[in-house]
Amino acid sequence: MPIMRAAFASSFDDANPLAALTVGERPEPAHHGDDWVTIQVTASSLNHHDLWSLRGVGLRAEQLPMILGCDATGVDPDGTPVVVYPVIPTPSDPRGISILSEHFPGTLAERVAVPRANLLPLPTGLAATDAACLPTAWLTAWRMLTTRGRVDEAAAVLVQGAGGGVATAAVALAAAMGKRVYATSRDAAKRERVAALGATAVEPGARLPERVDLVIETVGAATFDHSLKSAAPMARIVVSGATAGYEPKVNLRRVFAMQLEILGTSMGTPDELAALLAFCAERGLRPVVDRVVPFTTVEEAFARLHSGDVFGKVVVDHAA
């Protein structure tokens, strides 16, 4: 059976997810339909989803070993550079969909298989290592801002917990759209880096100079009251994560008196990814990259993400 090198979850370890990571040989990815194709991976990037998978969240023991990774750029069978859209129709999943590495092998391998409809052209001028950052965290941020948050109707945006992949993407995108951006972080060094992206960086819970029309919320219970208090009348609070608690106290009087919208979202559509790719290419906007690690030392990429010191995306260069 043909084999390839990959990074995969071989067990689960909630306390030390890195102990559940194995780098070794796996079979070539299978095709699950006549429309599936195999992509030679050029670059990939890590998400906290990968660490959660190693902890056993979203996977069952009978699915192991599971190749990790949601994001990738690569070359299709015709030799065309492509970006992989990671959402796969999955009738067996209650959602009807899944992302790579949940039911189907992921992108942290020499090759990955997906439906041909999941391939988008890599825009001219956009490096493969940059584009590999976009399909999960940046796509989520794009959808939060545009489709769900209606950022075109907003003058000011608050991003909670800047430093993580989605929040940092939201800061960079909103600033590139010409919005006044406020961003919170507990870390002084990260606040400096957020300010360099065009935001006014503040400590968590700090009073803002103005109420905002849109709040990007990925933190959860630790920041949600601040999000409510910072929202202008008719504002949107868009939620895509809860890294610091998923059961916040919500002052409903503030919600109805200020006529606030609290909206949930996750990932995005192929058309939204195409729009994001075009926006980045046309505006010269590039994702914030913490570091690029060769695929030959992919364990270092996981250790870096697990450290909690990252600012932006950890990218894996499969050509290095």
Side-chain angles (χ1 to χ4, degrees):
M1 178 182 293
I3 57 175
M4 62 180 182
R5 191 164 177 80
F8 53 93
S10 54
S11 63
F12 300 136
D13 193 323
D14 185 49
N16 180 20
L18 298 182
L21 174 68
T22 298
V23 179
E25 294 182 340
R26 294 298 303 149
E28 289 279 336
H31 290 186
H32 297 273
D34 294 339
D35 61 331
W36 283 57
V37 294
T38 297
I39 306 306
Q40 186 75 30
V41 178
T42 304
S44 59
S45 69
L46 269 59
N47 297 281
H48 281 282
H49 181 275
D50 300 308
L51 294 179
W52 286 113
S53 296
L54 292 169
R55 290 185 170 101
V57 178
L59 287 177
R60 303 183 306 277
E62 57 266 30
Q63 293 177 279
L64 298 179
M66 175 61 77
I67 297 175
L68 301 170
C70 309
D71 296 338
T73 54
V75 179
D76 74 6
D78 300 322
T80 303
V82 294
V83 181
V84 177
Y85 174 65
V87 180
I88 309 294
T90 312
S92 62
D93 191 285
R95 301 165 296 178
I97 59 171
S98 66
I99 60 175
L100 289 170
S101 77
E102 290 183 336
H103 290 274
F104 304 99
T107 58
L108 286 166
E110 294 180 68
R111 287 168 288 282
V112 65
V114 296
R116 185 173 286 277
N118 285 57
L119 303 181
L120 285 77
L122 176 67
T124 302
L126 194 60
T129 48
D130 284 336
C133 299
L134 302 180
T136 298
W138 276 65
L139 177 57
T140 299
W142 177 265
R143 180 175 173 83
M144 292 178 80
L145 287 165
T146 58
T147 307
R148 300 295 275 164
R150 306 194 303 277
V151 70
D152 56 321
E153 301 173 15
V157 178
L158 168 62
V159 180
Q160 297 282 20
V166 174
T168 303
V171 169
L173 287 166
M177 294 170 181
K179 307 302 177 180
R180 295 190 298 277
V181 183
Y182 302 93
T184 66
S185 177
R186 294 175 298 174
D187 188 296
K190 288 183 178 180
R191 289 197 297 273
E192 289 183 10
R193 298 192 67 173
V194 164
L197 294 176
T200 298
V202 299
E203 294 184 8
R207 186 183 182 90
L208 304 183
E210 61 180 319
R211 294 186 186 275
V212 300
D213 309 298
L214 174 58
V215 181
I216 300 300
E217 176 64 80
T218 63
V219 179
T223 57
F224 207 81
D225 186 61
H226 182 243
S227 294
L228 289 168
K229 291 178 179 178
S230 301
M234 310 291 287
R236 281 80 63 202
I237 300 173
V238 185
V239 184
S240 72
T243 57
Y246 58 87
E247 293 184 336
K249 290 184 178 180
V250 177
N251 184 336
L252 292 178
R253 290 178 296 183
R254 186 177 294 275
V255 173
F256 66 71
M258 299 288 281
Q259 301 188 64
L260 304 179
E261 297 179 52
I262 300 175
L263 306 164
T265 192
S266 180
M267 292 296 292
T269 67
D271 287 345
E272 287 166 335
L273 179 55
L276 170 62
L277 289 165
F279 182 88
C280 290
E282 292 166 4
R283 301 290 184 96
L285 179 64
R286 297 297 179 264
V288 181
V289 173
D290 181 85
R291 65 184 55 192
V292 179
V293 176
F295 183 62
T296 52
T297 57
V298 66
E299 300 95 333
E300 295 179 12
F302 278 87
R304 177 63 180 170
L305 182 63
H306 186 247
S307 73
D309 294 330
V310 295
F311 186 88
K313 297 290 290 179
V314 178
V315 180
V316 180
D317 186 349
H318 291 238

